[in-house]
Amino acid sequence: MKVQKFSIADAVMERSPGQEADVFAGNLLDERHGGPVTIGYGRYGPNQSLSETMAVHDVMVVLEGELSVSTDDATLTARPGEIVYMPRGEAVTLRSHAEGAVTAYVTYPHWRQPEG
C-alpha cells in the first residue's frame, strides 16, 4: 500500500446499512484495498438519529456541525476538531443537531463485510 491523500470530494456517499435516516457514509479505503482499517467520511442531515451497537472500534472526527453520542452512561457532544471514540460492543445513539454534521472516521476492523 502506498501513501494516499483523500478529500470529501473523493467519497461516494451511501446510506448507512440497515437504516432510513438521512445519514450517509463514504468509505475511501476499506477491505477492498487490503489495508487493516476502514477510513472515510460521514454526513448527517439536520436532526437525525441513528442507534446501533458498535460492531467495530470507531474513531470519528467532527469536521462540521455538532454530533451528540449517547450511551446508557452519558451523552457527549462533539464539535469541529473534536474526536469521539466508540469501542466495539458499545450501544450508542448518534444525533445530529439543527445544522447536521460532517465527520471523518477510522474503524478497526472493517465495518462492512467483504463482498463475495
Side-chain angles (χ1 to χ4, degrees):
M1 174 179 291
K2 296 181 181 177
V3 173
Q4 298 177 49
K5 180 177 91 170
F6 301 105
S7 76
I8 196 164
D10 299 319
V12 176
M13 304 303 266
E14 301 175 80
R15 182 166 268 124
S16 293
Q19 58 86 27
E20 298 298 320
D22 186 15
V23 177
F24 296 85
N27 287 358
L28 295 164
L29 181 75
D30 57 27
E31 67 283 351
R32 297 170 291 184
H33 305 96
V37 299
T38 295
I39 62 171
Y41 289 99
R43 187 181 75 227
Y44 298 76
N47 301 309
Q48 297 297 300
S49 179
L50 174 65
S51 294
E52 63 183 88
T53 298
M54 302 307 297
V56 297
H57 298 282
D58 191 328
V59 177
M60 183 172 54
V61 180
V62 176
L63 302 173
E64 298 175 13
E66 293 183 29
L67 199 63
S68 292
V69 180
S70 300
T71 67
D72 287 340
D73 298 325
T75 297
L76 58 87
T77 299
R79 294 170 181 82
E82 295 181 319
I83 299 170
V84 177
Y85 169 63
M86 296 169 285
R88 182 178 8 201
E90 187 75 34
V92 300
T93 298
L94 295 100
R95 289 186 181 88
S96 61
H97 296 259
E99 68 280 7
V102 175
T103 65
Y105 57 82
V106 177
T107 72
Y108 178 82
H110 304 292
W111 62 265
R112 184 172 59 188
Q113 295 299 316
E115 297 171 4

